[in-house]
Amino acid sequence: MAAPATGACQARFFSTMLQNASAPSLAIFCKVVDNYGDIGICWRLARQLRHEHGVAVTLWVDDLASFRRICPQVDPAAEEQAVQDVAVRHWRGQDGSHAASDIPDIVIEFFGCELPPGYVEAMAARTPRPAWINYEGLTAEDWVEGCHRLPSMHPRLKLTKHFFFPGFNERTGGLLCEAGLDVRRRAFQHDPAQAAAFLARFGVTAQEAAGRKVSLFCYPDAPVDDLFRAWEKDRQPTLCLVPEGVARGQVEAFIDGAALAGTSATRGQLTVRVLPFVPQEDYDSLLWACDLNFVRGEDSWVRAQWAGRPFIWHIYLQDENLHHKKLRAFLKIYAQDLPALDAFMLGWNGAQAIGDWTAAWMALETELPRIAARAEAWREQVTAHGDLATKLLDFVRELGQGQENRV
Ligand code: TRH
C-alpha cells in the first residue's frame, strides 16, 4: 500500500485507511509452541479478517506440518502459498532483513512470539508506522481487564506495541466468533439429519448415534480410564468419539488394539470410536453433533462455548499450577450455580480429588439439563459484547485516531 509523506498527514492516512474504502493489510506471526491451538487461533483470526473485513492478511507460521493437520490444503513444503485467500508464509526464524515497503498496516504478534529483529527495524522505518498488537492468551482472571489495550514502548525504536486480551466481558477484546456461526449451528442442531449425515461419514451407525454422544479432546493426563469405567456401568449407552491420537493409551487399552481412525469397541454401555483428526471447520460440526464435549487448551474450549452444549474443559498445563488458578477463575463466572459441573471440572484437571468417578459422573449427568441451559445463556451473554476481530480492528482505528491527535 502506498504511504503518504510525514507528520499529521501520515496519521490521517492511517486512521482513514480503516474507515474508508481501502482495505488494510495485516500480518500475523504465529509460533507453534505446542499442539494445534496456536495455529488454530491464528488461522481462525486470519480467515475472519480476510473474509469478513476484507483485510489483506499474511500469516507467518513456523510449523506448516501442524497447520496442515487442521487445514489439509496447506502444502508443508511451500515457502509462500495462498490458502483460502490468505497469504501464508513459512516463518523460518529470526534472521534476515526486511524492507519497510513489505510491512503492512497492522502487525499481530501472537502470544508474545517475538518478531524477527529485522522485521521490527523495518516496522520502525515504515511511514506511517504500523499498529503493533500483541495478541494474548484467554483467561477469565480479573487482571486482564487492567492490561487489555495497554501500550509498551520499544526501548530503542519509535514503536509502541499494544496488548490485546481476549475475554468474556466488555472490558476485554471478546472472543473470536464468525458472523453467521450461530445461524449455521442452530440449523445443524435443529435438523437431526445433518448430524446423522456428518457422523455417518466416520462410520457412526444409526444405533450408536441414538444414544448419548460425547466428543473427547483432552491432554494425556486426563483421568480417561475412570470416566470410561463410569460410562461402562451407566444406565444409558454412551458413544464416545475420540480424534486419532487423543488419549491414545487409554483408548488403545479400551479397544485392545491400535487406536486408528475407524476402529471402535463396545464394553458395557460404552462404545469408543476413533475418528480421524478432522479439518478445523468440521470440528465445529462434531461439537454441534454431540450432547457433551470434552475440550482443551483455548480454541476448542471457545468453540465448545459457541456450540451451546455442555462441555468439560481440560486446561493447558502451566508451571506452579497456574492453570488451576485460571480454571477456578473461569468456574467462578461460569459454574457458580452448577456444583456437579464445578466439582467434575476441578477433578478432571487434578485441581481437586475425586474419590468416586462413577458418583461424580452420575451427579454431572443429573445436572446436565441445567448445564445445557447455562451453555445457551452463556453463549448469548458473551456474544452480546461483540466479536474479537471487529473489536481488534476498532482498536486499531482508535490507535490511528490517537496518533492523529498527537501530531
Ligand atoms: O491443541 P491444543 O492443546 O493447543 C494449544 C497449544 O498447546 C498451545 O501451545 C497453547 O497455547 C494452547 O493450547 C492453550 O488445544 P486447542 O487450543 O483447543 O487447539 C486445538 C485446535 O485443533 C483447534 O483449533 C481445533 C482444532 N481441531 C481440529 O481442527 N480437528 C480436530 O479433530 C480437533 C480435535 C481439533
Side-chain angles (χ1 to χ4, degrees), residues 33-38 40-41 44 69-70 111 217 219 243 246 276-281 283 286 296-301 316:
V33 176
D34 205 2
N35 308 323
Y36 311 105
D38 307 296
I41 295 166
R44 203 178 283 295
R69 198 96 200 275
I70 62 161
F111 282 15
F217 187 38
Y219 295 113
V246 173
F277 199 91
V278 295
Q280 200 183 45
E281 288 97 330
Y283 185 61
L286 178 63
R296 75 183 200 192
E298 179 167 326
D299 193 53
S300 59
W301 174 39
Y316 187 72

PDB file of all heavy atoms in Angstrom, residues 33-38 40-41 44 69-70 111 217 219 243 246 276-281 283 286 296-301 316, ligand 1:
ATOM      1  N   VAL A  33       3.975 -23.370  19.549  1.00  0.00           N
ATOM      2  CA  VAL A  33       4.695 -23.819  20.743  1.00  0.00           C
ATOM      3  C   VAL A  33       4.403 -25.297  20.966  1.00  0.00           C
ATOM      4  O   VAL A  33       5.273 -26.085  21.297  1.00  0.00           O
ATOM      5  CB  VAL A  33       4.259 -22.976  21.968  1.00  0.00           C
ATOM      6  CG1 VAL A  33       4.907 -23.486  23.247  1.00  0.00           C
ATOM      7  CG2 VAL A  33       4.599 -21.510  21.743  1.00  0.00           C
ATOM      8  N   ASP A  34       3.149 -25.651  20.750  1.00  0.00           N
ATOM      9  CA  ASP A  34       2.698 -26.975  21.129  1.00  0.00           C
ATOM     10  C   ASP A  34       1.369 -27.269  20.432  1.00  0.00           C
ATOM     11  O   ASP A  34       0.528 -26.367  20.308  1.00  0.00           O
ATOM     12  CB  ASP A  34       2.445 -26.921  22.643  1.00  0.00           C
ATOM     13  CG  ASP A  34       2.565 -28.258  23.299  1.00  0.00           C
ATOM     14  OD1 ASP A  34       2.883 -29.220  22.597  1.00  0.00           O
ATOM     15  OD2 ASP A  34       2.341 -28.334  24.514  1.00  0.00           O
ATOM     16  N   ASN A  35       1.156 -28.444  19.994  1.00  0.00           N
ATOM     17  CA  ASN A  35      -0.169 -28.878  19.518  1.00  0.00           C
ATOM     18  C   ASN A  35      -0.738 -27.988  18.407  1.00  0.00           C
ATOM     19  O   ASN A  35      -0.014 -27.538  17.531  1.00  0.00           O
ATOM     20  CB  ASN A  35      -1.145 -28.982  20.690  1.00  0.00           C
ATOM     21  CG  ASN A  35      -0.601 -29.823  21.813  1.00  0.00           C
ATOM     22  OD1 ASN A  35       0.065 -30.804  21.568  1.00  0.00           O
ATOM     23  ND2 ASN A  35      -0.860 -29.430  23.042  1.00  0.00           N
ATOM     24  N   TYR A  36      -2.024 -27.699  18.512  1.00  0.00           N
ATOM     25  CA  TYR A  36      -2.725 -27.056  17.384  1.00  0.00           C
ATOM     26  C   TYR A  36      -3.409 -25.741  17.730  1.00  0.00           C
ATOM     27  O   TYR A  36      -4.005 -25.101  16.872  1.00  0.00           O
ATOM     28  CB  TYR A  36      -3.780 -28.031  16.823  1.00  0.00           C
ATOM     29  CG  TYR A  36      -3.176 -29.381  16.588  1.00  0.00           C
ATOM     30  CD1 TYR A  36      -3.442 -30.440  17.446  1.00  0.00           C
ATOM     31  CD2 TYR A  36      -2.260 -29.561  15.554  1.00  0.00           C
ATOM     32  CE1 TYR A  36      -2.826 -31.667  17.267  1.00  0.00           C
ATOM     33  CE2 TYR A  36      -1.641 -30.780  15.372  1.00  0.00           C
ATOM     34  CZ  TYR A  36      -1.927 -31.828  16.234  1.00  0.00           C
ATOM     35  OH  TYR A  36      -1.307 -33.021  16.056  1.00  0.00           O
ATOM     36  N   GLY A  37      -3.361 -25.346  18.996  1.00  0.00           N
ATOM     37  CA  GLY A  37      -4.107 -24.151  19.411  1.00  0.00           C
ATOM     38  C   GLY A  37      -3.505 -22.869  18.872  1.00  0.00           C
ATOM     39  O   GLY A  37      -4.231 -21.951  18.475  1.00  0.00           O
ATOM     40  N   ASP A  38      -2.180 -22.784  18.837  1.00  0.00           N
ATOM     41  CA  ASP A  38      -1.542 -21.544  18.369  1.00  0.00           C
ATOM     42  C   ASP A  38      -1.937 -21.282  16.913  1.00  0.00           C
ATOM     43  O   ASP A  38      -2.456 -20.221  16.581  1.00  0.00           O
ATOM     44  CB  ASP A  38      -0.014 -21.656  18.499  1.00  0.00           C
ATOM     45  CG  ASP A  38       0.405 -22.050  19.898  1.00  0.00           C
ATOM     46  OD1 ASP A  38       0.145 -21.266  20.822  1.00  0.00           O
ATOM     47  OD2 ASP A  38       0.973 -23.146  20.076  1.00  0.00           O
ATOM     48  N   GLY A  40      -4.275 -22.841  15.350  1.00  0.00           N
ATOM     49  CA  GLY A  40      -5.750 -22.885  15.262  1.00  0.00           C
ATOM     50  C   GLY A  40      -6.357 -21.504  15.444  1.00  0.00           C
ATOM     51  O   GLY A  40      -7.241 -21.086  14.692  1.00  0.00           O
ATOM     52  N   ILE A  41      -5.867 -20.762  16.413  1.00  0.00           N
ATOM     53  CA  ILE A  41      -6.407 -19.426  16.698  1.00  0.00           C
ATOM     54  C   ILE A  41      -5.985 -18.456  15.587  1.00  0.00           C
ATOM     55  O   ILE A  41      -6.793 -17.680  15.079  1.00  0.00           O
ATOM     56  CB  ILE A  41      -5.933 -18.941  18.087  1.00  0.00           C
ATOM     57  CG1 ILE A  41      -6.525 -19.838  19.174  1.00  0.00           C
ATOM     58  CG2 ILE A  41      -6.315 -17.478  18.316  1.00  0.00           C
ATOM     59  CD1 ILE A  41      -5.892 -19.678  20.543  1.00  0.00           C
ATOM     60  N   ARG A  44      -7.885 -19.034  12.372  1.00  0.00           N
ATOM     61  CA  ARG A  44      -9.271 -18.576  12.507  1.00  0.00           C
ATOM     62  C   ARG A  44      -9.340 -17.052  12.385  1.00  0.00           C
ATOM     63  O   ARG A  44     -10.182 -16.501  11.684  1.00  0.00           O
ATOM     64  CB  ARG A  44      -9.776 -19.010  13.891  1.00  0.00           C
ATOM     65  CG  ARG A  44     -11.253 -19.117  14.008  1.00  0.00           C
ATOM     66  CD  ARG A  44     -11.624 -19.590  15.384  1.00  0.00           C
ATOM     67  NE  ARG A  44     -11.446 -21.007  15.641  1.00  0.00           N
ATOM     68  CZ  ARG A  44     -12.121 -21.978  15.035  1.00  0.00           C
ATOM     69  NH1 ARG A  44     -12.995 -21.682  14.105  1.00  0.00           N
ATOM     70  NH2 ARG A  44     -11.926 -23.241  15.334  1.00  0.00           N
ATOM     71  N   ARG A  69      -2.458 -30.135   9.649  1.00  0.00           N
ATOM     72  CA  ARG A  69      -3.337 -31.055  10.397  1.00  0.00           C
ATOM     73  C   ARG A  69      -4.748 -30.466  10.545  1.00  0.00           C
ATOM     74  O   ARG A  69      -5.736 -31.181  10.471  1.00  0.00           O
ATOM     75  CB  ARG A  69      -2.705 -31.292  11.778  1.00  0.00           C
ATOM     76  CG  ARG A  69      -3.218 -32.508  12.511  1.00  0.00           C
ATOM     77  CD  ARG A  69      -2.340 -33.727  12.335  1.00  0.00           C
ATOM     78  NE  ARG A  69      -3.061 -34.976  12.631  1.00  0.00           N
ATOM     79  CZ  ARG A  69      -3.207 -35.488  13.835  1.00  0.00           C
ATOM     80  NH1 ARG A  69      -2.680 -34.895  14.871  1.00  0.00           N
ATOM     81  NH2 ARG A  69      -3.894 -36.608  14.017  1.00  0.00           N
ATOM     82  N   ILE A  70      -4.833 -29.149  10.738  1.00  0.00           N
ATOM     83  CA  ILE A  70      -6.172 -28.546  10.885  1.00  0.00           C
ATOM     84  C   ILE A  70      -6.688 -27.993   9.556  1.00  0.00           C
ATOM     85  O   ILE A  70      -7.862 -27.672   9.438  1.00  0.00           O
ATOM     86  CB  ILE A  70      -6.181 -27.431  11.963  1.00  0.00           C
ATOM     87  CG1 ILE A  70      -5.246 -26.274  11.588  1.00  0.00           C
ATOM     88  CG2 ILE A  70      -5.841 -27.978  13.337  1.00  0.00           C
ATOM     89  CD1 ILE A  70      -5.552 -25.007  12.349  1.00  0.00           C
ATOM     90  N   PHE A 111       0.744 -14.317  21.045  1.00  0.00           N
ATOM     91  CA  PHE A 111       1.246 -14.841  22.330  1.00  0.00           C
ATOM     92  C   PHE A 111       2.707 -14.427  22.580  1.00  0.00           C
ATOM     93  O   PHE A 111       3.515 -15.237  23.035  1.00  0.00           O
ATOM     94  CB  PHE A 111       1.163 -16.370  22.364  1.00  0.00           C
ATOM     95  CG  PHE A 111      -0.221 -16.925  22.632  1.00  0.00           C
ATOM     96  CD1 PHE A 111      -1.358 -16.140  22.521  1.00  0.00           C
ATOM     97  CD2 PHE A 111      -0.401 -18.256  23.020  1.00  0.00           C
ATOM     98  CE1 PHE A 111      -2.635 -16.648  22.769  1.00  0.00           C
ATOM     99  CE2 PHE A 111      -1.671 -18.779  23.274  1.00  0.00           C
ATOM    100  CZ  PHE A 111      -2.777 -17.976  23.144  1.00  0.00           C
ATOM    101  N   PHE A 217     -11.648 -34.607  23.670  1.00  0.00           N
ATOM    102  CA  PHE A 217     -10.381 -33.974  23.256  1.00  0.00           C
ATOM    103  C   PHE A 217      -9.745 -33.478  24.557  1.00  0.00           C
ATOM    104  O   PHE A 217     -10.304 -32.610  25.231  1.00  0.00           O
ATOM    105  CB  PHE A 217     -10.696 -32.819  22.300  1.00  0.00           C
ATOM    106  CG  PHE A 217      -9.495 -32.177  21.652  1.00  0.00           C
ATOM    107  CD1 PHE A 217      -8.406 -32.926  21.233  1.00  0.00           C
ATOM    108  CD2 PHE A 217      -9.468 -30.807  21.423  1.00  0.00           C
ATOM    109  CE1 PHE A 217      -7.307 -32.330  20.611  1.00  0.00           C
ATOM    110  CE2 PHE A 217      -8.388 -30.193  20.800  1.00  0.00           C
ATOM    111  CZ  PHE A 217      -7.310 -30.956  20.394  1.00  0.00           C
ATOM    112  N   TYR A 219      -5.799 -33.599  27.211  1.00  0.00           N
ATOM    113  CA  TYR A 219      -4.370 -33.854  27.303  1.00  0.00           C
ATOM    114  C   TYR A 219      -4.158 -35.253  27.900  1.00  0.00           C
ATOM    115  O   TYR A 219      -5.079 -35.817  28.516  1.00  0.00           O
ATOM    116  CB  TYR A 219      -3.696 -32.761  28.142  1.00  0.00           C
ATOM    117  CG  TYR A 219      -3.795 -31.406  27.458  1.00  0.00           C
ATOM    118  CD1 TYR A 219      -4.567 -30.376  27.996  1.00  0.00           C
ATOM    119  CD2 TYR A 219      -3.160 -31.181  26.245  1.00  0.00           C
ATOM    120  CE1 TYR A 219      -4.682 -29.147  27.361  1.00  0.00           C
ATOM    121  CE2 TYR A 219      -3.265 -29.964  25.590  1.00  0.00           C
ATOM    122  CZ  TYR A 219      -4.031 -28.950  26.154  1.00  0.00           C
ATOM    123  OH  TYR A 219      -4.148 -27.751  25.488  1.00  0.00           O
ATOM    124  N   PRO A 243     -10.831 -38.152  18.528  1.00  0.00           N
ATOM    125  CA  PRO A 243      -9.937 -37.967  17.381  1.00  0.00           C
ATOM    126  C   PRO A 243      -8.649 -38.783  17.545  1.00  0.00           C
ATOM    127  O   PRO A 243      -8.143 -38.926  18.662  1.00  0.00           O
ATOM    128  CB  PRO A 243      -9.634 -36.465  17.388  1.00  0.00           C
ATOM    129  CG  PRO A 243     -10.694 -35.857  18.239  1.00  0.00           C
ATOM    130  CD  PRO A 243     -11.106 -36.908  19.234  1.00  0.00           C
ATOM    131  N   VAL A 246      -5.619 -38.797  20.381  1.00  0.00           N
ATOM    132  CA  VAL A 246      -6.026 -38.229  21.670  1.00  0.00           C
ATOM    133  C   VAL A 246      -6.252 -39.381  22.663  1.00  0.00           C
ATOM    134  O   VAL A 246      -6.841 -40.405  22.305  1.00  0.00           O
ATOM    135  CB  VAL A 246      -7.327 -37.389  21.501  1.00  0.00           C
ATOM    136  CG1 VAL A 246      -7.852 -36.937  22.858  1.00  0.00           C
ATOM    137  CG2 VAL A 246      -7.066 -36.195  20.589  1.00  0.00           C
ATOM    138  N   PRO A 276     -10.935 -39.711  12.536  1.00  0.00           N
ATOM    139  CA  PRO A 276      -9.729 -39.022  12.058  1.00  0.00           C
ATOM    140  C   PRO A 276      -9.692 -37.646  12.699  1.00  0.00           C
ATOM    141  O   PRO A 276     -10.715 -37.143  13.158  1.00  0.00           O
ATOM    142  CB  PRO A 276      -9.965 -38.899  10.544  1.00  0.00           C
ATOM    143  CG  PRO A 276     -11.444 -39.028  10.370  1.00  0.00           C
ATOM    144  CD  PRO A 276     -11.955 -39.871  11.507  1.00  0.00           C
ATOM    145  N   PHE A 277      -8.534 -37.027  12.739  1.00  0.00           N
ATOM    146  CA  PHE A 277      -8.431 -35.637  13.181  1.00  0.00           C
ATOM    147  C   PHE A 277      -9.022 -34.812  12.037  1.00  0.00           C
ATOM    148  O   PHE A 277      -8.488 -34.795  10.938  1.00  0.00           O
ATOM    149  CB  PHE A 277      -6.957 -35.300  13.410  1.00  0.00           C
ATOM    150  CG  PHE A 277      -6.741 -34.100  14.262  1.00  0.00           C
ATOM    151  CD1 PHE A 277      -6.611 -34.211  15.640  1.00  0.00           C
ATOM    152  CD2 PHE A 277      -6.656 -32.833  13.690  1.00  0.00           C
ATOM    153  CE1 PHE A 277      -6.401 -33.094  16.426  1.00  0.00           C
ATOM    154  CE2 PHE A 277      -6.438 -31.716  14.467  1.00  0.00           C
ATOM    155  CZ  PHE A 277      -6.313 -31.838  15.843  1.00  0.00           C
ATOM    156  N   VAL A 278     -10.137 -34.161  12.265  1.00  0.00           N
ATOM    157  CA  VAL A 278     -10.875 -33.537  11.152  1.00  0.00           C
ATOM    158  C   VAL A 278     -10.364 -32.122  10.877  1.00  0.00           C
ATOM    159  O   VAL A 278      -9.768 -31.495  11.756  1.00  0.00           O
ATOM    160  CB  VAL A 278     -12.397 -33.490  11.453  1.00  0.00           C
ATOM    161  CG1 VAL A 278     -12.974 -34.887  11.534  1.00  0.00           C
ATOM    162  CG2 VAL A 278     -12.695 -32.705  12.732  1.00  0.00           C
ATOM    163  N   PRO A 279     -10.595 -31.572   9.676  1.00  0.00           N
ATOM    164  CA  PRO A 279     -10.248 -30.169   9.412  1.00  0.00           C
ATOM    165  C   PRO A 279     -11.003 -29.251  10.377  1.00  0.00           C
ATOM    166  O   PRO A 279     -12.071 -29.607  10.883  1.00  0.00           O
ATOM    167  CB  PRO A 279     -10.717 -29.943   7.971  1.00  0.00           C
ATOM    168  CG  PRO A 279     -10.815 -31.304   7.377  1.00  0.00           C
ATOM    169  CD  PRO A 279     -11.145 -32.243   8.493  1.00  0.00           C
ATOM    170  N   GLN A 280     -10.456 -28.070  10.588  1.00  0.00           N
ATOM    171  CA  GLN A 280     -10.988 -27.194  11.634  1.00  0.00           C
ATOM    172  C   GLN A 280     -12.480 -26.886  11.459  1.00  0.00           C
ATOM    173  O   GLN A 280     -13.226 -26.854  12.437  1.00  0.00           O
ATOM    174  CB  GLN A 280     -10.181 -25.891  11.673  1.00  0.00           C
ATOM    175  CG  GLN A 280     -10.321 -25.167  12.984  1.00  0.00           C
ATOM    176  CD  GLN A 280      -9.571 -23.841  12.987  1.00  0.00           C
ATOM    177  OE1 GLN A 280      -9.634 -23.067  12.035  1.00  0.00           O
ATOM    178  NE2 GLN A 280      -8.870 -23.569  14.063  1.00  0.00           N
ATOM    179  N   GLU A 281     -12.930 -26.666  10.222  1.00  0.00           N
ATOM    180  CA  GLU A 281     -14.355 -26.353  10.002  1.00  0.00           C
ATOM    181  C   GLU A 281     -15.237 -27.509  10.471  1.00  0.00           C
ATOM    182  O   GLU A 281     -16.320 -27.297  11.020  1.00  0.00           O
ATOM    183  CB  GLU A 281     -14.666 -26.087   8.524  1.00  0.00           C
ATOM    184  CG  GLU A 281     -14.143 -24.785   7.985  1.00  0.00           C
ATOM    185  CD  GLU A 281     -12.828 -24.955   7.259  1.00  0.00           C
ATOM    186  OE1 GLU A 281     -12.057 -25.882   7.624  1.00  0.00           O
ATOM    187  OE2 GLU A 281     -12.551 -24.162   6.337  1.00  0.00           O
ATOM    188  N   TYR A 283     -14.599 -29.603  12.795  1.00  0.00           N
ATOM    189  CA  TYR A 283     -14.579 -29.795  14.252  1.00  0.00           C
ATOM    190  C   TYR A 283     -15.800 -29.133  14.896  1.00  0.00           C
ATOM    191  O   TYR A 283     -16.371 -29.672  15.851  1.00  0.00           O
ATOM    192  CB  TYR A 283     -13.267 -29.259  14.839  1.00  0.00           C
ATOM    193  CG  TYR A 283     -13.150 -29.543  16.321  1.00  0.00           C
ATOM    194  CD1 TYR A 283     -13.150 -30.848  16.802  1.00  0.00           C
ATOM    195  CD2 TYR A 283     -13.065 -28.510  17.251  1.00  0.00           C
ATOM    196  CE1 TYR A 283     -13.074 -31.126  18.164  1.00  0.00           C
ATOM    197  CE2 TYR A 283     -12.980 -28.772  18.608  1.00  0.00           C
ATOM    198  CZ  TYR A 283     -12.991 -30.081  19.059  1.00  0.00           C
ATOM    199  OH  TYR A 283     -12.926 -30.343  20.405  1.00  0.00           O
ATOM    200  N   LEU A 286     -18.658 -31.477  14.693  1.00  0.00           N
ATOM    201  CA  LEU A 286     -18.543 -32.550  15.687  1.00  0.00           C
ATOM    202  C   LEU A 286     -19.083 -32.077  17.043  1.00  0.00           C
ATOM    203  O   LEU A 286     -19.852 -32.769  17.704  1.00  0.00           O
ATOM    204  CB  LEU A 286     -17.075 -32.994  15.804  1.00  0.00           C
ATOM    205  CG  LEU A 286     -16.794 -34.075  16.845  1.00  0.00           C
ATOM    206  CD1 LEU A 286     -17.508 -35.378  16.508  1.00  0.00           C
ATOM    207  CD2 LEU A 286     -15.286 -34.338  16.955  1.00  0.00           C
ATOM    208  N   ARG A 296     -10.178 -28.789  25.217  1.00  0.00           N
ATOM    209  CA  ARG A 296      -8.932 -28.497  25.918  1.00  0.00           C
ATOM    210  C   ARG A 296      -8.346 -27.175  25.417  1.00  0.00           C
ATOM    211  O   ARG A 296      -8.855 -26.570  24.464  1.00  0.00           O
ATOM    212  CB  ARG A 296      -7.944 -29.643  25.715  1.00  0.00           C
ATOM    213  CG  ARG A 296      -7.312 -29.663  24.332  1.00  0.00           C
ATOM    214  CD  ARG A 296      -6.390 -30.852  24.134  1.00  0.00           C
ATOM    215  NE  ARG A 296      -5.471 -30.616  23.040  1.00  0.00           N
ATOM    216  CZ  ARG A 296      -4.704 -31.533  22.488  1.00  0.00           C
ATOM    217  NH1 ARG A 296      -4.734 -32.782  22.939  1.00  0.00           N
ATOM    218  NH2 ARG A 296      -3.876 -31.240  21.493  1.00  0.00           N
ATOM    219  N   GLY A 297      -7.218 -26.756  26.017  1.00  0.00           N
ATOM    220  CA  GLY A 297      -6.462 -25.604  25.510  1.00  0.00           C
ATOM    221  C   GLY A 297      -7.280 -24.341  25.464  1.00  0.00           C
ATOM    222  O   GLY A 297      -7.924 -23.960  26.450  1.00  0.00           O
ATOM    223  N   GLU A 298      -7.285 -23.689  24.295  1.00  0.00           N
ATOM    224  CA  GLU A 298      -8.028 -22.432  24.176  1.00  0.00           C
ATOM    225  C   GLU A 298      -9.066 -22.467  23.052  1.00  0.00           C
ATOM    226  O   GLU A 298     -10.231 -22.152  23.252  1.00  0.00           O
ATOM    227  CB  GLU A 298      -7.051 -21.261  23.952  1.00  0.00           C
ATOM    228  CG  GLU A 298      -7.772 -19.938  23.798  1.00  0.00           C
ATOM    229  CD  GLU A 298      -6.860 -18.730  23.885  1.00  0.00           C
ATOM    230  OE1 GLU A 298      -5.865 -18.764  24.637  1.00  0.00           O
ATOM    231  OE2 GLU A 298      -7.157 -17.733  23.198  1.00  0.00           O
ATOM    232  N   ASP A 299      -8.639 -22.855  21.856  1.00  0.00           N
ATOM    233  CA  ASP A 299      -9.559 -22.705  20.729  1.00  0.00           C
ATOM    234  C   ASP A 299     -10.744 -23.674  20.810  1.00  0.00           C
ATOM    235  O   ASP A 299     -11.882 -23.280  20.594  1.00  0.00           O
ATOM    236  CB  ASP A 299      -8.802 -22.878  19.401  1.00  0.00           C
ATOM    237  CG  ASP A 299      -9.655 -22.424  18.231  1.00  0.00           C
ATOM    238  OD1 ASP A 299     -10.161 -21.283  18.270  1.00  0.00           O
ATOM    239  OD2 ASP A 299      -9.868 -23.209  17.294  1.00  0.00           O
ATOM    240  N   SER A 300     -10.482 -24.946  21.105  1.00  0.00           N
ATOM    241  CA  SER A 300     -11.609 -25.897  21.178  1.00  0.00           C
ATOM    242  C   SER A 300     -12.519 -25.534  22.352  1.00  0.00           C
ATOM    243  O   SER A 300     -13.737 -25.756  22.302  1.00  0.00           O
ATOM    244  CB  SER A 300     -11.100 -27.339  21.302  1.00  0.00           C
ATOM    245  OG  SER A 300     -10.297 -27.512  22.444  1.00  0.00           O
ATOM    246  N   TRP A 301     -11.947 -24.975  23.390  1.00  0.00           N
ATOM    247  CA  TRP A 301     -12.724 -24.521  24.561  1.00  0.00           C
ATOM    248  C   TRP A 301     -13.717 -23.433  24.128  1.00  0.00           C
ATOM    249  O   TRP A 301     -14.909 -23.491  24.465  1.00  0.00           O
ATOM    250  CB  TRP A 301     -11.730 -24.003  25.605  1.00  0.00           C
ATOM    251  CG  TRP A 301     -12.298 -23.361  26.815  1.00  0.00           C
ATOM    252  CD1 TRP A 301     -13.401 -23.743  27.517  1.00  0.00           C
ATOM    253  CD2 TRP A 301     -11.748 -22.224  27.497  1.00  0.00           C
ATOM    254  NE1 TRP A 301     -13.582 -22.908  28.596  1.00  0.00           N
ATOM    255  CE2 TRP A 301     -12.575 -21.973  28.600  1.00  0.00           C
ATOM    256  CE3 TRP A 301     -10.648 -21.405  27.290  1.00  0.00           C
ATOM    257  CZ2 TRP A 301     -12.330 -20.920  29.496  1.00  0.00           C
ATOM    258  CZ3 TRP A 301     -10.399 -20.368  28.184  1.00  0.00           C
ATOM    259  CH2 TRP A 301     -11.230 -20.131  29.264  1.00  0.00           C
ATOM    260  N   TYR A 316      -4.759 -26.196  29.598  1.00  0.00           N
ATOM    261  CA  TYR A 316      -3.351 -26.425  29.254  1.00  0.00           C
ATOM    262  C   TYR A 316      -2.490 -26.261  30.510  1.00  0.00           C
ATOM    263  O   TYR A 316      -2.604 -25.267  31.220  1.00  0.00           O
ATOM    264  CB  TYR A 316      -2.944 -25.407  28.187  1.00  0.00           C
ATOM    265  CG  TYR A 316      -1.574 -25.599  27.588  1.00  0.00           C
ATOM    266  CD1 TYR A 316      -1.314 -26.654  26.724  1.00  0.00           C
ATOM    267  CD2 TYR A 316      -0.551 -24.702  27.870  1.00  0.00           C
ATOM    268  CE1 TYR A 316      -0.065 -26.820  26.152  1.00  0.00           C
ATOM    269  CE2 TYR A 316       0.712 -24.858  27.300  1.00  0.00           C
ATOM    270  CZ  TYR A 316       0.939 -25.918  26.448  1.00  0.00           C
ATOM    271  OH  TYR A 316       2.173 -26.074  25.881  1.00  0.00           O
TER     272      TYR A 316
HETATM  273  O1  TRH B   1      -4.192 -28.364  20.564  1.00  0.00           O
HETATM  274  P1  TRH B   1      -4.297 -27.574  21.809  1.00  0.00           P
HETATM  275  O2  TRH B   1      -3.854 -28.248  23.018  1.00  0.00           O
HETATM  276  O3  TRH B   1      -3.495 -26.281  21.588  1.00  0.00           O
HETATM  277  C1  TRH B   1      -2.941 -25.338  22.425  1.00  0.00           C
HETATM  278  C2  TRH B   1      -1.463 -25.343  22.304  1.00  0.00           C
HETATM  279  O4  TRH B   1      -0.935 -26.381  23.055  1.00  0.00           O
HETATM  280  C3  TRH B   1      -0.881 -24.048  22.712  1.00  0.00           C
HETATM  281  O5  TRH B   1       0.527 -24.063  22.814  1.00  0.00           O
HETATM  282  C4  TRH B   1      -1.495 -23.492  23.955  1.00  0.00           C
HETATM  283  O6  TRH B   1      -1.135 -22.142  23.947  1.00  0.00           O
HETATM  284  C5  TRH B   1      -2.994 -23.593  23.899  1.00  0.00           C
HETATM  285  O7  TRH B   1      -3.437 -24.910  23.600  1.00  0.00           O
HETATM  286  C6  TRH B   1      -3.645 -23.102  25.159  1.00  0.00           C
HETATM  287  O8  TRH B   1      -5.824 -27.105  22.037  1.00  0.00           O
HETATM  288  P2  TRH B   1      -6.758 -26.039  21.309  1.00  0.00           P
HETATM  289  O9  TRH B   1      -6.385 -24.643  21.723  1.00  0.00           O
HETATM  290  O10 TRH B   1      -8.126 -26.427  21.573  1.00  0.00           O
HETATM  291  O11 TRH B   1      -6.474 -26.196  19.768  1.00  0.00           O
HETATM  292  C7  TRH B   1      -6.884 -27.304  19.031  1.00  0.00           C
HETATM  293  C8  TRH B   1      -7.174 -26.883  17.600  1.00  0.00           C
HETATM  294  O12 TRH B   1      -7.322 -28.027  16.772  1.00  0.00           O
HETATM  295  C9  TRH B   1      -8.472 -26.090  17.467  1.00  0.00           C
HETATM  296  O13 TRH B   1      -8.329 -25.061  16.510  1.00  0.00           O
HETATM  297  C10 TRH B   1      -9.456 -27.109  16.949  1.00  0.00           C
HETATM  298  C11 TRH B   1      -8.572 -27.961  16.100  1.00  0.00           C
HETATM  299  N1  TRH B   1      -9.044 -29.338  15.853  1.00  0.00           N
HETATM  300  C12 TRH B   1      -9.273 -29.723  14.542  1.00  0.00           C
HETATM  301  O14 TRH B   1      -9.148 -28.919  13.620  1.00  0.00           O
HETATM  302  N2  TRH B   1      -9.673 -31.019  14.314  1.00  0.00           N
HETATM  303  C13 TRH B   1      -9.857 -31.918  15.298  1.00  0.00           C
HETATM  304  O15 TRH B   1     -10.212 -33.091  15.017  1.00  0.00           O
HETATM  305  C14 TRH B   1      -9.624 -31.491  16.638  1.00  0.00           C
HETATM  306  C15 TRH B   1      -9.819 -32.461  17.776  1.00  0.00           C
HETATM  307  C16 TRH B   1      -9.216 -30.195  16.889  1.00  0.00           C
END
